[in-house]
Amino acid sequence: MSRHGGRVLLGALAVTIVALAAFGCGDDDSGSAASSPTTATQTAPADTIGVQASEMKFELTTDSAPAGQVTFNAENVGAVAHEMVVIKTDTPADQLPVKDGEVDETGSIGEIGPEELTPGASPSLKLDMKAGHYALICALPGHYQAGMSADFSVQ
């Protein structure tokens, strides 16, 4: 075999070994402790809500949950700090009263503050929620007015 032919064969063998090693690292659904972690694309429990905060919006994995304990797993994927205030209200999230530049937080049942929702941070908030409509808002100056709100319902 020529020197060049040996290099080609060794190169092909190396590619095959890497491919087999990568294939062997896949999830075999065997239920072992080495199973893959939960990601945003996998189904989360109905009472766990993923929330991505960025300029100037909230993106929720779902806009509803059953009544009871609800956990909001927030993540600030933006470049500035945000907050997430959860308000029980019949008013649509983008129509809350604003006076002197401040949004009315009447009905607030909990929040993740701006010191917790800094860029890159992933805080959680667990709330006992009753059936009804809720508004999730960022009440930092100018954020709500720029559209940072989302409607959420509990059945």
Side-chain angles (χ1 to χ4, degrees):
M1 181 182 295
S2 72
R3 247 178 133 183
H4 178 69
R7 285 186 194 160
V8 171
L9 183 60
L10 284 175
L13 182 60
V15 169
T16 302
I17 291 170
V18 170
L20 287 172
F23 181 76
C25 291
D27 187 3
D28 64 2
D29 289 332
S30 65
S32 69
S35 64
S36 64
T38 301
T39 62
T41 58
Q42 292 176 329
T43 304
D47 58 353
T48 301
I49 312 304
V51 181
Q52 284 191 336
S54 62
E55 286 73 45
M56 292 288 154
K57 62 183 175 182
F58 287 119
E59 290 185 26
L60 284 63
T61 54
T62 183
D63 62 0
S64 65
Q69 289 286 320
V70 176
T71 300
F72 292 94
N73 290 328
E75 179 183 14
N76 186 342
V77 297
V80 300
H82 295 290
E83 69 178 354
M84 185 184 81
V85 182
V86 180
I87 301 170
K88 186 164 187 346
T89 179
D90 291 330
T91 304
D94 63 353
Q95 296 178 20
L96 296 173
V98 177
K99 184 176 180 183
D100 298 325
E102 292 189 25
V103 62
D104 184 359
E105 295 182 39
T106 301
S108 171
I109 63 166
E111 71 180 71
I112 297 173
E115 64 284 346
E116 299 169 291
L117 200 51
T118 56
S122 298
S124 292
L125 176 65
K126 184 179 279 191
L127 298 170
D128 185 23
M129 300 181 77
K130 296 180 167 107
H133 174 267
Y134 294 82
L136 279 59
I137 67 163
C138 181
L140 293 180
H143 291 211
Y144 176 77
Q145 293 85 335
M148 197 159 184
S149 64
D151 291 291
F152 188 76
S153 64
V154 175
Q155 291 88 27

